[in-house]
Amino acid sequence: MTKKVAVLTSGGDAPGMNACIRAIVLACERADYSVLGYMHGFNGLLHQEYRLLDGRSVHNLIQQGGTMLRSARCKEFEGREEAKRAADNLRQLEVDTLIIIGGDGSFRGAVHLSQFWEGQLLGLPGTIDNDIQGTDVTIGYHTAIETAVTSIDKVRDTADSFERIFLVEVMGRRAGFLGLNAALASAADYVILPELFESEEQTLEAIMQQLTKRRRERGDVSYIIVLAENLWPKGVNDLAEQLTKLTESEVKPVILGHVQRGGSPVSQDRLLATRLGAYAVSLVGSDISGIMIGECHGKPVKVPLPSTWQKRKPLDEFTVSTMESLMNNRYA
């Protein structure tokens, strides 16, 4: 009997989600499985909003940002009755396997659904934050770094022209992977990360020590600080105001925001998304369920869904030490 596979994208969108959908659809066609896509994340699952997918529907899709299935967060899905309704909808369509592309919130939703649905559940890590434990990188992360670096480079041009201080806020939610690597790749002067943040006072003191030293050695040069979002207690504008008073120089805040989610995925994200999507389809019909498929050291790995969020994913120690040595000052 032909297997039926469903796929949905949930939570924040990430460049490469479309590439992953494409890989799933093409691999399903090769295996003679039928495939459908639920629209708007778990909302589509609740309201039986879906579309049939085939090779024609994913043509010319690999380079497109966003997600053709649309995405959303679904507070409603947290209820027991709602999860039961979703399970009934899957049974009505005779879905054998549900593949969920998203982050830890999406994986929590999958575990919640598994209490009421007996089908196969597979998760694929799609988030620019790279905060999923058990996989080296997540779909969308490399593109988000590239977008942040390109933006910081442009900020540097005007910073150099005016010998001005800029404060650039990047995304990452509660994780500093994007901030750390964007700062290192753009030669930022200072970076403030959630994993290493201790206090406002220590951070301001460290910035002032480094900036004073730079000005003594080089004069009034440009200075770029990268800050992870939602980290500074009163926000990025408050930090800019405090630094303006301390430095007696104009400090300009720049919030990159959702521009980091958009754009055509870079080759690393296209390749990762394609590999993970195709591998997920290879597991359809097996007794493997309730897992995320990630990649470590270039090889696919299968991680129980709860393990993806139960422990905080650590920053790479070598990257941390490299940034610290180049900044000549320990950072927040």
Side-chain angles (χ1 to χ4, degrees), residues 228-240:
E229 66 176 345
N230 302 321
L231 179 56
W232 199 256
K234 294 183 181 179
V236 64
N237 289 314
D238 175 73
L239 176 56

Side-chain angles (χ1 to χ4, degrees), residues 184-236:
L184 185 59
S186 63
D189 301 281
Y190 202 89
V191 61
I192 307 173
L193 306 172
E195 290 86 348
L196 301 168
F197 181 75
E198 294 179 1
S199 70
E200 294 179 61
E201 293 76 14
Q202 287 180 320
T203 301
L204 292 170
E205 181 181 356
I207 291 172
M208 288 306 300
Q209 286 178 356
Q210 187 194 62
L211 182 57
T212 300
K213 181 181 177 183
R214 293 277 176 89
R215 285 176 166 178
R216 185 170 58 246
E217 294 172 348
R218 309 177 194 174
D220 288 333
V221 295
S222 65
Y223 190 83
I224 303 291
I225 302 167
V226 172
L227 168 69
E229 66 176 345
N230 302 321
L231 179 56
W232 199 256
K234 294 183 181 179
V236 64

Side-chain angles (χ1 to χ4, degrees), residues 69-302:
L69 297 177
R70 308 296 182 256
S71 191
R73 293 178 170 85
C74 185
K75 194 74 175 174
E76 182 184 6
F77 189 73
E78 296 177 6
R80 290 178 58 86
E81 294 306 314
E82 287 72 20
K84 288 180 181 179
R85 189 202 318 164
D88 288 339
N89 286 340
L90 287 164
R91 293 189 194 99
Q92 180 183 351
L93 292 179
E94 299 181 331
V95 171
D96 298 288
T97 302
L98 176 62
I99 300 174
I100 297 171
I101 310 169
D104 65 321
S106 304
F107 296 162
R108 290 173 192 267
V111 171
H112 180 51
L113 175 63
S114 70
Q115 300 176 71
F116 310 100
W117 186 59
E118 62 283 352
Q120 185 181 30
L121 278 165
L122 302 174
L124 297 178
T127 168
I128 67 169
D129 302 330
N130 196 36
D131 58 349
I132 302 298
Q133 180 69 275
T135 184
D136 287 341
V137 290
T138 56
I139 297 167
Y141 172 60
H142 285 296
T143 306
I145 292 175
E146 189 68 24
T147 300
V149 169
T150 300
S151 300
I152 296 169
D153 286 347
K154 292 176 180 178
V155 168
R156 175 73 76 176
D157 288 342
T158 191
D160 281 343
S161 297
F162 287 91
E163 298 172 337
R164 184 175 283 168
I165 302 169
F166 273 87
L167 181 60
V168 183
E169 183 186 85
V170 301
M171 297 183 85
R173 203 168 46 162
R174 297 179 297 273
F177 297 95
L178 182 55
L180 174 62
N181 286 281
L184 185 59
S186 63
D189 301 281
Y190 202 89
V191 61
I192 307 173
L193 306 172
E195 290 86 348
L196 301 168
F197 181 75
E198 294 179 1
S199 70
E200 294 179 61
E201 293 76 14
Q202 287 180 320
T203 301
L204 292 170
E205 181 181 356
I207 291 172
M208 288 306 300
Q209 286 178 356
Q210 187 194 62
L211 182 57
T212 300
K213 181 181 177 183
R214 293 277 176 89
R215 285 176 166 178
R216 185 170 58 246
E217 294 172 348
R218 309 177 194 174
D220 288 333
V221 295
S222 65
Y223 190 83
I224 303 291
I225 302 167
V226 172
L227 168 69
E229 66 176 345
N230 302 321
L231 179 56
W232 199 256
K234 294 183 181 179
V236 64
N237 289 314
D238 175 73
L239 176 56
E241 290 174 7
Q242 290 193 58
L243 287 173
T244 295
K245 293 176 183 177
L246 289 170
T247 62
E248 299 181 349
S249 301
E250 188 176 22
V251 178
K252 291 285 190 180
V254 176
I255 301 174
L256 297 186
H258 284 74
V259 67
Q260 295 158 97
R261 291 196 184 280
S264 179
V266 297
S267 59
Q268 296 102 313
D269 280 323
R270 298 185 195 191
L271 292 169
L272 177 65
T274 300
R275 289 194 298 264
L276 295 185
Y279 187 77
V281 174
S282 75
L283 298 179
V284 170
S286 71
D287 59 359
I288 297 171
S289 184
I291 56 101
M292 175 201 74
I293 300 161
E295 190 173 277
C296 289
H297 308 295
K299 303 293 183 182
V301 293
K302 297 182 282 290

